[in-house]
Amino acid sequence: MVELDALISKLNALGFNKVPVEHSAVENVEEWKEALGTVNGLPEKYVLTKTLIYKPKQPKSEPFSPVVIVAKDDTVFNSKALGTLLKFKDMRFASEDVLKDTFQTVKGSVSPFVLGNVSSDIIGNVRVVIDKALVNENNIAFHPLDSLRTVFISGSTLKAYIASINGLEHVTEVDLASLAGAAPAPVAGGSTKVVKRPEAAVAAKTEESAGSSKLGIEASKETEFSKWYQQVVVRSDMLDYYDVSGCYIVRPTAYFVWQQIQEFFDAGIRALGVRNCYFPMFVSQRALEQEKDHIEGFAPEVAWVTKAGTTDLAVPLAIRPTSETVMYPYFAKWIRSHRDLPLKINQWCSVVRWEFKNPQPFLRTREFLWQEGHCAYMTKDEAYTEVLDILTLYRRIYEELLAVPVIEGVKSEKEKFAGGVATTTVEGFIPATGRGIQGGTSHYLGQNFSKMFDVVVEDPEGTSTDRPKIHVHQTSWGLSTRTIGVMVMVHGDDKGLVLPPRVAETQVIIVPCGLTYKHTDEDRRRVTDACLAVEARLKKVGIRADSDLRDNYTPGFKYSHWEVRGVPLRLEIGPKDLEKQSVLSVRRDNFAKASVALDKLESTLELLLHTIQDEMLLRARKTFNERVKLVLKWDDFVPTLNSKCLTMIPWCEREECEEQIKARSTRDAINDEAEDEKEPSMGAKSLCLPHNQPQDPPIIPGQTKCVQCGHNAKRYALFGRSY
């Protein structure tokens, strides 16, 4: 890795003769600008910059070719248009792992100087783009390897430094500002559908540096869903990024949602006789590998502990990806007789699943919180009854707490849990992307694991001389913090988070307003006292209320602040409201306003919060139902997916057919239309075989044919693109 002294010496040889200035550590341009404002002796005029690193989507056969863009901090450009210019289809921000492993840097410290850290086997494939707006500048600000310092160099020194990097072959100067609203080139040999977006959407598509300190939501949910989602979960204080890639900090707002889910589900399973426990997070290699089919499903995701301090462990320990192989040796120990059945336990814990490339907050993380239940029964019927009871609880969590509709069903053989007999599931839908998402699964494991771990009892129906051993029937089921991500995606809007009242940590926020310079201190005190009195009254009847009495922010700022955070209801109280003995309520879900009489405050708001909860579910269910399309011929299958819908098709349930559907829908989607960089075409997979089967038209055995292959259809199946 290049050291600071070596870098400065190299710059001196290129004509640079100034000392780097020191300041507090910064994470983004706004903080950088503020930090430089505290430093004396800066150039009278200088230009701040941003250095962006992208990892283009490439075929596996091509060498890794990161793109480094050096631009003015206020230059905006269309990354897709730049990708077209560089002959890359899909330009995506590089992950923290790429920053660390390839450029030996971290977010906030990226500059052109990290090119000196790239190894000789990769540097020849790096593409460098220099913003033409920088070339003729005399004082360009960059971080020299960390964000605690700044150097000011000229455009000519910048170019000379980049030219001095051994092995760097691909350097281009581009007028990036000219690409701000540029459209991608047409696909060769075909036509590209051009969709005109409103100017606001184009503006929202400009690059945003990581770690932005902005408060509002700039990205559009409809046109920039991935960026929108990341902005919402961070700026609503649901989550923050951690310095281990793929791991996130769950902040109190989101953790409160998880606690509400815990309380609801824990009461439900305890009513079924399930008891809570806790098993260690470490798994021996022998135990993990005991069930072959099971571990093959998880092997790529298992994280291993190989050292204790500086000493290698004699036997590596896995960190649990799930706990079947952790618990079941002890089931064999604890279950000695049919009288020990049923055994029903659950644990609340975290699990680690490591192997993936594109983490998504709440949806796809290397460590996540969940519950996992594991039960053993004497008979299949008892076990499967519990599987469905748990599935019902999962559905109720989504619908009654999160106001998210789901479809109950069973997974295909291809998609079922590794090592299990059958997997039931609740499947959700994200309208903005047209994708399905698995919400929670409840598995019937049959006797597969009990045979592997020798969990047996004597047959109680046997005679005193003939009591054969019977392997128990087992279940497992799990629900994770993915629930929170689904809720955000379904209900959020371009202003931020929208929380259902049942899971909102703050259900009502009270904001004083209507006070001007003409009002006296007594007027202000009277309004403040009224806010606190309303808060106390609401808390007394169990409504989670708070007052925003900060005197350094305007009411308008406070409105936006709480809208981003999704608080279901805002109450505005001002002098005129007090004269009328009322307050003004504003709903977050639809911004409907209503005057509420103070003498009916509690009953009115209790009813209003229930109404908000119910109407959020009704709206989401209406959208879900409208976007599940019955498809009876293959020609309609891919166009239905492309219209952001799920498909319900007659299906033969063969694994070979499922693989063909995925392959054909991928190929047809790519051939029919140009790929969108934020929603790349992907094949459809089976989401579930719904328990509630369509009846118009019904599946007629021996007559109804599978949409894809023409074999006899068995049931309707829900297919779609998914997370």
Side-chain angles (χ1 to χ4, degrees), residues 72-327:
K72 289 181 66 174
D73 74 299
D74 58 356
T75 297
V76 296
F77 61 94
N78 184 305
S79 62
K80 189 167 185 179
L82 180 60
T84 301
L85 185 67
L86 299 176
K87 296 185 167 59
F88 288 124
K89 270 189 176 181
D90 193 356
M91 296 267 287
R92 300 180 179 182
F93 279 121
S95 67
E96 293 177 14
D97 285 344
V98 171
L99 297 184
K100 178 182 176 182
D101 298 339
T102 302
F103 295 91
Q104 298 179 44
T105 189
V106 295
K107 263 191 323 187
S109 298
V110 182
S111 74
F113 306 127
V114 301
L115 290 166
N117 297 332
V118 181
S119 61
S120 58
D121 59 324
I122 294 177
I123 192 66
N125 298 318
V126 175
R127 269 65 169 171
V128 177
V129 176
I130 303 174
D131 188 354
K132 280 189 176 181
L134 291 176
V135 172
N136 296 319
E137 294 288 347
N138 291 321
N139 293 298
I140 309 171
F142 291 109
H143 293 307
L145 304 181
D146 64 48
S147 65
L148 291 164
R149 301 172 181 84
T150 298
V151 294
F152 298 92
I153 65 175
S154 66
S156 58
T157 302
L158 170 64
K159 291 172 63 176
Y161 173 80
I162 291 174
S164 73
I165 303 294
N166 290 330
L168 182 61
E169 301 175 0
H170 307 285
V171 181
T172 309
E173 293 179 21
V174 176
D175 181 6
L176 291 174
S178 68
L179 302 179
V187 178
S191 62
T192 302
K193 299 174 182 177
V194 179
V195 179
K196 291 186 178 179
R197 293 179 178 175
E199 291 183 8
V202 174
K205 198 171 177 58
T206 57
E207 304 304 331
E208 178 186 28
S209 59
S212 170
S213 61
K214 296 176 181 177
L215 301 176
I217 309 300
E218 292 101 27
S220 163
K221 183 179 183 181
E222 185 65 28
T223 60
E224 296 179 293
F225 184 79
S226 179
K227 184 184 290 187
W228 169 86
Y229 177 68
Q230 291 176 14
Q231 288 183 359
V232 169
V233 295
V234 172
R235 298 182 189 181
S236 66
D237 293 340
M238 297 278 280
L239 166 149
D240 207 345
Y241 287 86
Y242 193 57
D243 64 356
V244 176
S245 177
C247 297
Y248 303 90
I249 301 164
V250 181
R251 299 185 66 179
T253 299
Y255 200 82
F256 183 87
V257 177
W258 182 237
Q259 286 180 306
Q260 298 303 108
I261 292 171
Q262 283 182 305
E263 290 176 12
F264 177 91
F265 187 72
D266 209 52
I269 60 176
R270 288 203 288 178
L272 296 174
V274 180
R275 302 165 69 194
N276 285 312
C277 65
Y278 186 80
F279 277 73
M281 69 181 341
F282 299 114
V283 191
S284 70
Q285 188 170 5
R286 177 191 57 79
L288 191 65
E289 294 177 350
Q290 194 162 342
E291 213 296 328
K292 182 175 179 296
D293 289 341
H294 178 69
I295 189 54
E296 282 182 356
F298 284 105
E301 303 175 343
V302 176
W304 293 91
V305 179
T306 59
K307 281 181 177 291
T310 58
T311 305
D312 290 337
L313 296 182
V315 179
L317 296 174
I319 301 176
R320 62 176 167 233
T322 183
S323 295
E324 281 76 6
T325 57
V326 180
M327 293 183 173

Side-chain angles (χ1 to χ4, degrees), residues 429-652:
F429 175 66
I430 311 302
T433 60
R435 295 184 187 181
I437 187 163
Q438 180 178 291
T441 49
S442 181
H443 315 287
Y444 170 59
L445 304 179
Q447 297 170 307
N448 291 350
F449 285 89
S450 63
K451 289 177 180 177
M452 186 60 61
F453 291 93
D454 200 30
V455 186
V456 296
V457 296
E458 289 184 345
D459 185 354
E461 303 298 326
T463 64
S464 57
T465 58
D466 182 19
R467 289 186 178 272
K469 299 288 187 181
I470 296 176
H471 289 93
V472 302
H473 293 260
Q474 291 179 257
T475 67
S476 70
W477 23 274
L479 185 84
S480 76
T481 41
R482 166 177 278 217
T483 50
I484 301 172
V486 175
M487 176 196 70
V488 173
M489 288 180 161
V490 169
H491 296 307
D493 60 22
D494 285 352
K495 288 184 178 291
L497 188 64
V498 180
L499 285 171
R502 284 196 67 176
V503 295
E505 185 175 27
T506 301
Q507 296 172 313
V508 177
I509 187 68
I510 304 160
V511 180
C513 62
L515 293 165
T516 69
Y517 70 93
K518 295 180 180 179
H519 288 94
T520 65
D521 289 344
E522 178 61 24
D523 293 330
R524 297 175 191 279
R525 185 192 61 76
R526 190 179 299 112
V527 170
T528 297
D529 289 347
C531 291
L532 293 173
V534 167
E535 177 187 337
R537 287 174 60 182
L538 296 179
K539 285 180 175 178
K540 192 172 182 180
V541 296
I543 294 175
R544 297 185 289 273
D546 196 7
S547 299
D548 189 343
L549 302 178
R550 295 175 293 176
D551 58 8
N552 56 330
Y553 291 112
T554 65
F557 179 93
K558 295 176 184 179
Y559 300 162
S560 297
H561 177 90
W562 296 108
E563 284 169 2
V564 169
R565 287 155 182 77
V567 173
L569 196 60
R570 180 174 78 239
L571 296 185
E572 300 173 11
I573 302 179
K576 292 183 179 179
D577 298 296
L578 296 183
E579 289 175 7
K580 295 183 289 186
Q581 286 295 294
S582 66
V583 298
L584 181 68
S585 70
V586 184
R587 289 172 55 165
R588 174 63 183 88
D589 63 318
N590 62 9
F591 297 101
K593 298 181 179 181
S595 180
V596 179
L598 283 174
D599 61 355
K600 297 181 179 178
L601 180 72
E602 293 89 344
S603 59
T604 301
L605 293 195
E606 285 180 329
L607 178 61
L608 186 52
L609 290 170
H610 282 298
T611 299
I612 293 171
Q613 182 83 27
D614 293 343
E615 290 184 359
M616 287 180 69
L617 176 60
L618 288 173
R619 282 196 301 271
R621 177 171 284 135
K622 180 175 183 292
T623 300
F624 194 177
N625 291 343
E626 290 172 349
R627 302 277 281 277
V628 176
K629 303 291 187 182
L630 192 66
V631 172
L632 301 177
K633 59 181 180 179
W634 179 259
D635 289 347
D636 296 333
F637 187 83
V638 172
T640 301
L641 296 178
N642 291 343
S643 64
K644 294 186 178 180
C645 294
L646 303 182
T647 65
M648 191 77 73
I649 64 170
W651 188 42
C652 62

